Amino acid sequence: MVEHGRRAATVLVAVLLLAAGVWSSWGTAQHVVLSKGREHGTLTVVRCGAETCTGPFDPEGSPGALDGMTIDRSVAVARGDRLDVVVKPGTDEVVRAGWPGALHAWVPLGGALLLAALVIGGGLRLTRVAWGAAAAGGALLLGAFFAL
């Protein structure tokens, strides 16, 4: 009886880790993955603060750039960069578009997969599943690193 309870608790922890990874990734990923019908363009980074970078946004197919658009600051964003972006509807925020943006958006899920792999392998003794989860998480993180 105790064994079943321990196993159920371990499964619950692994599922919660994966759900948290999907939840925290989806806030940004939805704008990249479901970008059809959203405004696309290029952001030229002019200045960066502690948490965000700003610059003019040049929309595709429209003349004239819009000033004051912001993107979250990361190590991959530097002053003078020109980034393909998608505008979050109803805001002045943009997220990276294409494969680099998609991989960057799913980085929290990659971390969650690595953590869940430890729980799956150590707590549930499912080593093949754990190695698969770890490989998927590692591939996602490495893909994001090299794409940016």
Side-chain angles (χ1 to χ4, degrees):
M1 186 68 161
V2 173
E3 177 65 24
H4 293 297
R6 183 189 65 80
R7 197 165 187 80
T10 306
V11 168
L12 180 64
V13 169
V15 168
L16 282 173
L17 282 169
L18 294 174
V22 170
W23 183 265
S24 55
S25 294
W26 186 247
T28 302
Q30 67 178 324
H31 303 293
V32 180
V33 175
L34 304 173
S35 66
K36 189 172 185 167
R38 298 181 197 249
E39 192 171 12
H40 294 258
T42 305
L43 177 77
T44 304
V45 178
V46 174
R47 66 181 170 279
C48 290
E51 295 183 17
T52 61
C53 294
T54 60
F57 170 71
D58 186 20
E60 290 179 357
S62 299
L66 304 170
D67 284 330
M69 299 300 270
T70 62
I71 190 168
D72 288 339
R73 184 171 187 178
S74 71
V75 293
V77 176
R79 193 172 160 195
D81 285 350
R82 293 179 50 83
L83 308 171
D84 292 328
V85 295
V86 176
V87 178
K88 289 183 178 181
T91 67
D92 63 348
E93 295 179 52
V94 295
V95 293
R96 291 185 94 150
W99 278 106
L103 290 171
H104 186 259
W106 289 107
V107 162
L109 177 61
L113 281 165
L114 288 176
L115 288 172
L118 294 172
V119 173
I120 293 167
L124 296 174
R125 306 284 189 229
L126 298 173
T127 54
R128 288 184 182 167
V129 175
W131 277 108
L140 183 56
L141 294 175
L142 282 173
F145 178 78
F146 287 115
L148 295 176

